[in-house]
């Protein structure tokens, strides 16, 4: 469940709680994903923001991401085929919509943008761990 704090009509902190663990989502702060979630929360639709983040996390965790070329990804989720381009800004295009899917196509597009930022965070953490491990081996 999303936990948030607002101050003077602005979203100032955001985290996601799973049982006893709290995950800080401050890495989204300078992204359009933060703005999407903040708009929903400030409009009073915290449950909608929670569902959007959960769907984004689910798309990020799916194994259906295919790298097309540098900065270009394709992902299939709930029958929708989405194209994510991250050359300058992150843009998501719907390549094919599954009309019988329980996930609406506009929601899938918004969630795929959040999913990209989640995946980028995971990649940055993985690279940092690899660098730390390499540096540790060099100092021995």
């Amino acid at each position: 469940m999303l936990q948030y704090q607002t101050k003077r009509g602005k979203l100032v902190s955001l985290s996601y709680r799973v049982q006893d663990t709290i995950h800080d989502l401050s890495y989204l702060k300078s992204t359009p994903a933060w703005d999407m979630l903040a708009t929903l929360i400030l409009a009073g639709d915290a449950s909608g923001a929670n569902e959007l983040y959960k769907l984004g996390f689910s798309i990020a965790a799916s194994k259906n991401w295919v790298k097309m070329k540098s900065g270009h990804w394709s992902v299939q989720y709930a029958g929708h085929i989405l194209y994510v381009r991250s050359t300058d800004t992150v843009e998501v295009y719907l390549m094919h919509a599954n009309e019988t899917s329980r996930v609406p196509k506009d929601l899938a597009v918004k969630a795929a943008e959040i999913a990209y930022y989640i995946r980028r965070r995971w990649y940055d953490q993985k690279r940092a761990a690899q660098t730390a491990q390499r540096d540790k081996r060099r100092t021995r």
Side-chain angles (χ1 to χ4, degrees):
M1 170 169 218
L2 281 178
Q3 295 179 330
Y4 59 91
Q5 183 179 13
T6 60
K7 189 184 239 182
R8 296 184 187 146
K10 285 191 168 190
L11 185 65
V12 292
S13 70
L14 187 64
S15 59
Y16 192 79
R17 183 184 180 111
V18 180
Q19 295 175 353
D20 295 344
T21 309
I22 297 175
H23 302 279
D24 183 27
L25 302 179
S26 61
Y27 64 91
L28 293 174
K29 202 164 201 166
S30 62
T31 67
W34 181 274
D35 298 335
M36 271 192 278
L37 294 170
T39 301
L40 288 170
I41 290 169
L42 295 174
D45 190 10
S47 64
N50 189 44
E51 289 301 314
L52 182 61
Y53 179 77
K54 284 181 9 182
L55 182 60
F57 187 89
S58 179
I59 292 172
S62 76
K63 301 293 183 193
N64 297 329
W65 287 80
V66 177
K67 187 171 185 175
M68 308 298 275
K69 58 183 178 179
S70 180
H72 298 259
W73 296 86
S74 172
V75 62
Q76 181 178 355
Y77 188 80
H80 303 300
I81 300 175
L82 304 157
Y83 182 76
V84 181
R85 187 176 77 179
S86 63
T87 49
D88 293 331
T89 60
V90 177
E91 298 173 353
V92 180
Y93 301 101
L94 184 66
M95 293 174 62
H96 173 74
N98 179 3
E99 299 302 329
T100 60
S101 176
R102 293 194 292 159
V103 177
K105 56 187 172 187
D106 57 334
L107 185 61
V109 169
K110 290 178 183 177
E113 185 172 348
I114 292 173
Y116 170 78
Y117 290 112
I118 294 170
R119 286 180 59 87
R120 188 171 76 182
R121 169 71 172 194
W122 291 344
Y123 176 78
D124 291 345
Q125 287 177 334
K126 179 180 168 186
R127 295 297 298 160
Q130 289 172 342
T131 301
Q133 191 73 335
R134 183 181 65 236
D135 291 347
K136 183 178 176 183
R137 283 194 306 265
R138 285 183 180 172
T139 59
R140 288 185 192 175

